[in-house]
Amino acid sequence: MFDNAEGMVFRPPSEANSFILRVTIGCAHNRCTFCSMYRDVQFRARPLSEIEPIIQKTARYYPGIRRVFLADGDALVLSTDRLLAVIDLLKANFPKLSRISCYGGPLDILRKTPADLQLLKQAGMQLVYLGIESGDDEVLARVQKGVTSEQMIEAGQKIIAAGMKLSAMLVLGLGGRELSRQHAINSARVASAINPTMLSALTLMLHRGTPLRAEAEQGLFQPLSPYEFVLELKELVNSLDMHAPCIFRSNHVSNMLPLAGTLPDDKNSLLRQAEDALQLLKNQTRPTFNDDGPF
Ligand code: SF4
């Protein structure tokens, strides 16, 4: 359930049953060339005076809420004091509250001290979603993620060190044909160094209105074919080297091949499934725009 409708509201699929509380509107970074989520929304932090009545009103209708997702794109951009104040309000209004989660931008995470993150964890922030997108510095720079792979590793490790769960996302195809292999290998390097609780591999969608789609239309970015998407996925899985259990998923609606398993134990099974899919897709070598409408 959503708290209001100022622009589009986004949340991870696993937060479908959570109360989506927008503590910010939009994304403070808002420059990633592939992302269309908050392009038409001016970023702003919502004051507590705006948030409190929304919590109170929601509690009147849904007092049994157990899970809350703090939106929009990077709630950790808020100061720790502000986040703790929001969490206090949530606890006061939802006695059965058991999980608070949010998206965390890597630079916002790096700005927090280990003590900040510990405080948030102790207050009830149990899960952070981190968009790694790519572990390759060339890809990260091209899509203007605004962070290096080393900073991404440091941010992810900080969340894990604070005792929170970390759900990380990668975007298959983000390097296009040109950088596909290094995107896969370096994404695996970064993901393995972080060893998140969950790792999802999504498939690039070239949304209208994004700079990356414009690059594709001009022939400056070559999207992958279905065969190449699965080849990249296989390369990624093959290069992953988790030292602790990590739930791996590539079963988002955007994906060519839905994989699910726990790494490292299921690695060989995932690779076999990818190889079987490659056999089926070997004739599908035309680039796919995976778009949301014709050019
Ligand atoms: S991908 Fe994330 S950080 Fe980048 S613009 Fe979109 S919401 Fe903001």
Side-chain angles (χ1 to χ4, degrees), residues 27 29-32 34-35 37-38 133 145:
C27 165
H29 179 61
N30 213 13
R31 281 199 294 274
C32 300
F34 60 92
C35 177
M37 294 203 296
Y38 306 110
E133 332 297 8
K145 185 70 186 171

Side-chain angles (χ1 to χ4, degrees), residues 14 46 89 102 133 162 173 203 209 228 233 269:
S14 49
R46 286 177 125 179
L89 285 172
C102 69
E133 332 297 8
T203 292
E228 289 164 329
L233 174 61
S269 159

Side-chain angles (χ1 to χ4, degrees), residues 86-137:
V86 172
I87 292 173
D88 280 347
L89 285 172
L90 287 168
K91 284 177 168 171
N93 283 275
F94 301 112
K96 293 183 179 167
L97 187 63
S98 62
R99 184 177 96 175
I100 300 167
S101 57
C102 69
Y103 287 127
L107 293 180
D108 299 325
I109 294 169
L110 291 180
R111 271 189 285 271
K112 300 245 178 272
T113 65
D116 285 332
L117 293 172
Q118 290 280 352
L119 280 172
L120 289 169
K121 163 72 170 58
Q122 282 158 14
M125 178 77 77
Q126 292 184 7
L127 170 63
V128 172
Y129 296 86
L130 174 68
I132 296 176
E133 332 297 8
S134 175
D136 184 75
D137 283 309

